Amino acid sequence: MKKVAISLFAILAGTSFAMAEDAGCEAFKWPVTREQALFAAAPATPSGAMLAVGAAADLALVPAEQAGFTLPPEHAPASGTFGAVASVVVPPEGTIQISLSGEAWVDVIQDGHAVKSAGYSGVKTCPSIRKSVRFKLAAGPATVQFSGAKKAELKVAVLTPE
């Protein structure tokens, strides 16, 4: 009887934990299920790479002072943090959603100017996604800067909003 009670407790605890994880991801202002699926198979990508809209990358970050930011990040990165610069071609509809697996600041630069975000959602209780930021941009090239990350890797998804 004791083994059955312990097993039942373990099953219920595991179910509760899984439900808590799902509830954490459900707390975003918009769905992040596409990002979760893309992050699972995100290819290793170096700093400086082109990010594709509709895809994810496991971005290798460098020490922030070596990132080569186009413009100073809106939030100055703390000492000992990591960053990267990447590029993206914004689709004709113009709005992109950049989602990150961990804590980091994201800036988007277009035509030499930093673009303010059009929307933000961040959740600390989702195990695979930390934040998702939307930007309204003109179609064409843009630079994306990641800064202030505490780890040297960051999964990034660039999508059009649902």
Side-chain angles (χ1 to χ4, degrees):
M1 180 68 172
K2 195 172 189 179
K3 286 182 182 178
V4 172
I6 291 171
S7 296
L8 182 59
F9 176 76
I11 290 168
L12 291 174
T15 302
S16 297
F17 182 70
M19 289 172 62
E21 283 185 8
D22 291 343
C25 297
E26 293 296 322
F28 277 97
K29 292 178 186 173
W30 47 77
V32 293
T33 52
R34 295 180 300 163
E35 291 89 331
Q36 289 172 309
L38 290 169
F39 281 177
T45 306
S47 178
M50 172 72 72
L51 300 175
V53 176
D58 191 352
L59 194 59
L61 307 181
V62 297
E65 59 275 2
Q66 298 173 14
F69 298 122
T70 303
L71 293 177
E74 185 175 333
H75 289 271
S79 177
T81 61
F82 299 89
V85 175
S87 56
V88 66
V89 176
V90 179
E93 52 272 12
T95 301
I96 59 171
Q97 177 175 304
I98 301 173
S99 300
L100 310 178
S101 63
E103 292 203 31
W105 187 258
V106 60
D107 292 296
V108 175
I109 299 161
Q110 195 170 48
D111 297 324
H113 302 285
V115 178
K116 294 285 183 195
S117 67
Y120 165 83
S121 188
V123 174
K124 291 185 179 185
T125 55
C126 181
S128 58
I129 300 173
R130 171 62 183 92
K131 71 191 303 185
S132 187
V133 187
R134 291 181 174 172
F135 295 89
K136 289 185 181 179
L137 304 160
T143 300
V144 185
Q145 298 183 159
F146 304 95
S147 60
K150 293 180 181 170
K151 296 180 181 178
E153 66 280 332
L154 182 69
K155 290 186 182 182
V156 176
V158 181
L159 302 168
T160 55
E162 289 184 296

